[in-house]
Amino acid sequence: LASMKDEKREVLIDGFYNSDAPVGEAERAALAALPAYDAALREELGLARTEGDGALLIEQLLRPALNLKGLASGNVGAAARNVLPDRATAALGLRLVKGNDPSAMLDLVEAHIRAQGFHVVHEEPDLATRQAHPKIARVVRGGGYPAARTPMDLPVAEEIVAAVEAAAGEAPLRVPTFGGSLPLYLFTDVLGKPTLILPIANHDNNQHAPDENLRLANLFYGIDLFAALLRD
């Protein structure tokens, strides 16, 4: 449902990147100070290349993404049958960044589907609809919420970073955004409070996979770290 450029792998949906909140100077300085880990990560994962035409992973996280999470149509292997499937189903996920409105981004995706010649419906099409339109796409929209990004040059951010460094005994890596789905906007937009995330999991924890894990060393480190921060 989303065309991708081979050379840059950008989502070709009109307006998809138009609502991103600008990245400030403090955020760009933090990006420049991060260690270069992309090549090592590609080697560890066995990847010959990654999307973004050479852009760093952390830079890609500052842009919205359209993810194809799954495809289903017909059967394969022992379950394969000599029958033409009447439909194909795709599961899409939108990872939003600061400035994106969830409903508006879904509207852009629907508009893109229509632009490919599909008649978009939101319920199972009846016989008359199927007879009237050669290409039909049923879109089932899920819920969502906006992304949050606390400016990195706030005085409170510097205070928390200093507290983490004192508790951990080493300077933390500072990244402008987080790729996970967290409703932090409830704090930043609703309560007007800044937020900072302090992950403790091992980088190879296979998050959300069947064999998701947390190393005991990371768990004990996290207990000690959070205890020190909360005590202060």
Side-chain angles (χ1 to χ4, degrees):
L1 299 182
S3 300
M4 309 291 275
K5 289 182 180 178
D6 290 337
E7 67 277 14
K8 291 189 178 180
R9 310 292 284 182
E10 291 187 345
V11 180
L12 296 183
I13 294 179
D14 288 340
F16 195 77
Y17 300 111
N18 290 356
S19 58
D20 306 1
V23 180
E25 292 301 321
E27 286 73 26
R28 296 194 180 280
L31 290 176
L34 289 173
Y37 55 79
D38 285 52
L41 189 58
R42 280 193 291 268
E43 181 178 358
E44 179 179 335
L45 297 176
L47 301 175
R49 65 178 298 277
T50 48
E51 297 179 3
D53 195 24
L56 299 177
L57 173 62
I58 189 60
E59 293 178 355
Q60 293 289 80
L61 293 179
L62 289 168
R63 310 182 74 194
L66 177 65
N67 304 315
L68 178 59
K69 300 190 294 183
L71 285 171
S73 183
N75 296 291
V76 298
R81 297 291 182 268
N82 191 23
V83 177
L84 296 178
D86 66 337
R87 68 190 63 199
T89 302
L92 302 178
L94 272 70
R95 183 185 59 78
L96 307 183
V97 299
K98 180 66 176 177
N100 298 154
D101 176 79
S103 181
M105 295 295 281
L106 290 176
D107 289 342
L108 292 177
V109 174
E110 281 200 29
H112 179 79
I113 296 172
R114 290 190 179 92
Q116 312 312 306
F118 287 90
H119 175 69
V120 174
V121 298
H122 297 99
E123 303 294 339
E124 188 70 21
D126 57 18
L127 178 61
T129 302
R130 296 198 303 271
Q131 290 176 334
H133 304 279
K135 297 172 63 176
I136 301 174
R138 181 189 177 194
V139 176
V140 180
R141 296 170 61 146
Y145 44 80
R149 187 171 73 227
T150 297
M152 299 186 71
D153 52 0
L154 293 181
V156 66
E158 298 296 336
E159 295 174 4
I160 296 178
V161 168
V164 172
E165 183 172 356
E170 58 181 338
L173 298 177
R174 304 175 62 181
V175 296
T177 192
F178 186 71
S181 178
L182 299 174
L184 297 180
Y185 81 99
L186 295 172
F187 298 94
T188 59
D189 297 0
V190 178
L191 298 180
K193 302 295 183 180
T195 63
L196 285 88
I197 302 173
L198 183 58
I200 63 169
N202 39 292
H203 83 282
D204 56 352
N205 68 335
N206 295 323
Q207 194 171 47
H208 303 322
D211 53 352
E212 183 172 2
N213 64 87
L214 175 65
R215 294 180 180 174
L216 290 178
N218 290 72
L219 173 62
F220 297 145
Y221 168 79
I223 292 174
D224 292 340
L225 179 58
F226 279 101
L229 292 176
L230 294 174
R231 183 175 63 249
D232 294 339

